[in-house]
Amino acid sequence: LYAVRKEVMNKYKKSLLIGMILGDGSIKKQIRGNKIYGHFSMTHQAKQKDYIEYKADLLAWCLNQKKPTVSNYQSQTQFGFVDYYKVSKMHSYFRVLRKWIYPNDKKCISRKILNYLTPQAIAIWYMDDGGINKLRQKSGRFSCEMRISTYFSEEEADDFISYFNEKWNIQAKKRYSKKTNSFYMAFSTKESQKLDDLIGEYIISSLKYKLPSTWNPRALDTQKSDDIV
């Protein structure tokens, strides 16, 4: 990672920023004086504090600036107060990325954007929006299904499928969500193992339970399907 020149917004750094935006990150347009900036923000629950710290470090490295503040706040939910951590950063380069990823003020996952992704950027996207379904069958054999639960239009889903197949030789399949009237992506046991091989080294320790290579003993004690997100 650190072999990449720090002073240049090169393709590798751009890829990491895109990975953060495709998942839980977002960019809003903000005007200060006569200048237009992009305001990037991301939020995670307290149990993922180490993960947002990791992304804040990456953000600082990509922009060649000091690490942004990771702030804590509470929000009331139906289950009581929940702790969250948030990072916000304003930078002129986010305005450029917003034009690419929000062409009509709506996040769009085009093939052009996907072509920038590196394995580490895909890992960030998966850590944000990914999960795994682990199943022990009656025969005693185990199967799994990794998922990326970003919600796609059908056109975006088809672009995603062709990208993963052509670039990484990994076959994804689209699943329809009635609740959102959109699609999410899933990988069979065999293809999940390929995806694990591609991104596994970039998954931080506390989130490795999302990988098929790191089985969660609790999930294996049952013969029914367990979604682990």
Side-chain angles (χ1 to χ4, degrees):
L1 182 82
Y2 291 98
V4 183
R5 292 170 57 199
K6 290 186 177 181
E7 69 274 21
V8 178
M9 180 57 69
N10 59 27
K11 288 184 178 180
Y12 199 91
K13 291 182 176 184
K14 189 183 299 181
S15 171
L16 299 182
L17 293 174
I18 290 171
M20 292 187 221
I21 296 162
L22 293 184
D24 290 331
S26 64
I27 305 176
K28 294 182 179 180
K29 184 168 65 176
Q30 190 157 340
I31 300 173
R32 281 194 176 181
N34 296 323
K35 290 187 177 182
I36 301 175
Y37 294 87
H39 185 215
F40 171 81
S41 64
M42 56 186 174
T43 303
H44 289 280
Q45 288 191 23
K47 64 182 180 180
Q48 292 186 338
K49 184 176 185 294
D50 59 334
Y51 178 46
I52 200 169
E53 293 280 1
Y54 160 80
K55 289 202 292 185
D57 285 330
L58 278 182
L59 196 61
W61 179 75
C62 288
L63 299 175
N64 196 25
Q65 295 183 348
K66 68 178 184 178
K67 181 178 178 179
T69 301
V70 179
S71 58
N72 173 244
Y73 70 95
Q74 284 191 330
S75 180
Q76 189 170 13
T77 70
Q78 59 179 325
F79 306 107
F81 284 96
V82 177
D83 281 307
Y84 290 93
Y85 286 92
K86 182 176 183 177
V87 168
S88 296
K89 182 68 179 177
M90 193 158 58
H91 194 279
S92 57
Y93 190 69
F94 286 130
R95 180 169 63 95
V96 177
L97 290 180
R98 192 177 191 281
K99 285 183 178 180
W100 292 353
I101 303 174
Y102 296 77
N104 298 304
D105 288 330
K106 181 181 178 182
K107 190 181 291 186
C108 177
I109 304 172
S110 66
R111 179 62 188 262
K112 179 181 177 181
I113 295 299
L114 293 172
N115 286 338
Y116 277 102
L117 298 179
T118 59
Q120 186 174 7
I122 297 169
I124 292 169
W125 189 5
Y126 181 71
M127 285 187 284
D128 275 8
D129 281 357
I132 189 167
N133 177 286
K134 297 179 178 180
L135 175 67
R136 185 169 69 180
Q137 301 170 352
K138 291 182 179 180
S139 65
R141 296 183 63 184
F142 298 104
S143 62
C144 68
E145 182 180 79
M146 293 173 74
R147 299 172 181 170
I148 295 181
S149 294
T150 305
Y151 292 111
F152 301 83
S153 68
E154 189 162 16
E155 182 181 357
E156 289 172 327
D158 289 338
D159 282 343
F160 183 100
I161 289 169
S162 62
Y163 164 76
F164 266 84
N165 187 32
E166 294 166 11
K167 177 69 175 180
W168 306 110
N169 191 31
I170 298 174
Q171 183 63 53
K173 51 190 176 183
K174 58 188 175 187
R175 293 277 180 80
Y176 179 68
S177 167
K178 286 185 178 180
K179 184 177 181 180
T180 61
N181 189 30
S182 58
F183 295 83
Y184 63 94
M185 308 312 300
F187 302 83
S188 68
T189 299
K190 179 181 177 181
E191 303 306 314
S192 290
Q193 290 168 349
K194 291 182 186 179
L195 183 58
D196 188 340
D197 289 341
L198 179 69
I199 68 174
E201 66 179 294
Y202 301 107
I203 303 295
I204 66 171
S205 297
S206 63
L207 294 178
K208 283 190 179 292
Y209 67 86
K210 293 189 176 189
L211 296 173
S213 57
T214 311
W215 292 99
N216 185 328
R218 288 189 304 105
L220 303 185
D221 288 339
T222 178
Q223 291 189 352
K224 67 180 182 179
S225 171
D226 288 316
D227 283 320
I228 304 173
V229 296

